mmCIF file of all heavy atoms in Angstrom:
data_model
loop_
_atom_site.group_PDB
_atom_site.id
_atom_site.type_symbol
_atom_site.label_atom_id
_atom_site.label_comp_id
_atom_site.label_asym_id
_atom_site.label_seq_id
_atom_site.Cartn_x
_atom_site.Cartn_y
_atom_site.Cartn_z
ATOM 1 N N HIS A 268 -9.982 3.871 3.604
ATOM 2 C CA HIS A 268 -9.569 5.248 3.855
ATOM 3 C C HIS A 268 -9.120 5.836 2.509
ATOM 4 O O HIS A 268 -8.084 5.532 1.968
ATOM 5 C CB HIS A 268 -8.431 5.301 4.853
ATOM 6 C CG HIS A 268 -8.119 6.738 5.305
ATOM 7 N ND1 HIS A 268 -8.144 7.147 6.637
ATOM 8 C CD2 HIS A 268 -7.691 7.848 4.579
ATOM 9 C CE1 HIS A 268 -7.802 8.391 6.749
ATOM 10 N NE2 HIS A 268 -7.542 8.860 5.510
ATOM 11 N N HIS A 270 -9.571 9.619 -0.234
ATOM 12 C CA HIS A 270 -9.995 11.016 -0.386
ATOM 13 C C HIS A 270 -10.303 11.296 -1.851
ATOM 14 O O HIS A 270 -9.634 12.086 -2.510
ATOM 15 C CB HIS A 270 -8.876 11.962 0.147
ATOM 16 C CG HIS A 270 -8.445 11.762 1.537
ATOM 17 N ND1 HIS A 270 -9.234 12.191 2.598
ATOM 18 C CD2 HIS A 270 -7.362 11.103 2.077
ATOM 19 C CE1 HIS A 270 -8.600 11.837 3.721
ATOM 20 N NE2 HIS A 270 -7.500 11.188 3.459
ATOM 21 N N VAL A 298 -12.980 9.782 3.370
ATOM 22 C CA VAL A 298 -12.730 10.394 4.733
ATOM 23 C C VAL A 298 -12.505 11.931 4.620
ATOM 24 O O VAL A 298 -11.786 12.389 3.773
ATOM 25 C CB VAL A 298 -11.489 9.787 5.361
ATOM 26 C CG1 VAL A 298 -11.236 10.298 6.793
ATOM 27 C CG2 VAL A 298 -11.634 8.261 5.444
ATOM 28 N N GLU A 354 -10.999 12.244 9.556
ATOM 29 C CA GLU A 354 -9.908 11.812 10.409
ATOM 30 C C GLU A 354 -9.586 12.853 11.535
ATOM 31 O O GLU A 354 -9.609 14.047 11.210
ATOM 32 C CB GLU A 354 -8.673 11.465 9.663
ATOM 33 C CG GLU A 354 -8.251 12.494 8.629
ATOM 34 C CD GLU A 354 -7.123 11.940 7.659
ATOM 35 O OE1 GLU A 354 -6.001 11.690 8.135
ATOM 36 O OE2 GLU A 354 -7.460 11.820 6.472
ATOM 37 N N HIS A 415 -4.977 4.982 11.465
ATOM 38 C CA HIS A 415 -4.796 4.869 10.035
ATOM 39 C C HIS A 415 -3.391 5.255 9.618
ATOM 40 O O HIS A 415 -2.680 5.995 10.273
ATOM 41 C CB HIS A 415 -5.881 5.687 9.373
ATOM 42 C CG HIS A 415 -5.391 6.910 8.619
ATOM 43 N ND1 HIS A 415 -5.020 6.856 7.307
ATOM 44 C CD2 HIS A 415 -5.253 8.184 9.027
ATOM 45 C CE1 HIS A 415 -4.632 8.044 6.930
ATOM 46 N NE2 HIS A 415 -4.745 8.898 7.923
ATOM 47 N N ASP A 465 -5.366 5.817 1.454
ATOM 48 C CA ASP A 465 -5.120 7.262 1.789
ATOM 49 C C ASP A 465 -4.886 8.012 0.492
ATOM 50 O O ASP A 465 -4.188 9.024 0.483
ATOM 51 C CB ASP A 465 -3.945 7.475 2.697
ATOM 52 C CG ASP A 465 -4.012 8.795 3.496
ATOM 53 O OD1 ASP A 465 -5.112 9.401 3.527
ATOM 54 O OD2 ASP A 465 -3.017 9.204 4.011
ATOM 55 N N TYR A 468 -2.732 10.077 -1.965
ATOM 56 C CA TYR A 468 -1.322 9.992 -1.465
ATOM 57 C C TYR A 468 -0.850 8.536 -1.345
ATOM 58 O O TYR A 468 -1.626 7.627 -1.436
ATOM 59 C CB TYR A 468 -1.214 10.629 -0.029
ATOM 60 C CG TYR A 468 -1.940 11.953 0.023
ATOM 61 C CD1 TYR A 468 -3.105 12.058 0.686
ATOM 62 C CD2 TYR A 468 -1.417 13.081 -0.703
ATOM 63 C CE1 TYR A 468 -3.810 13.343 0.708
ATOM 64 C CE2 TYR A 468 -2.067 14.275 -0.693
ATOM 65 C CZ TYR A 468 -3.282 14.437 0.057
ATOM 66 O OH TYR A 468 -3.956 15.581 0.063
HETATM 67 NI NI1 NI B 726 -6.231 10.512 5.033
#
Side-chain angles (χ1 to χ4, degrees):
H268 191 121
H270 302 283
V298 181
E354 48 192 292
H415 110 89
D465 204 16
Y468 315 106

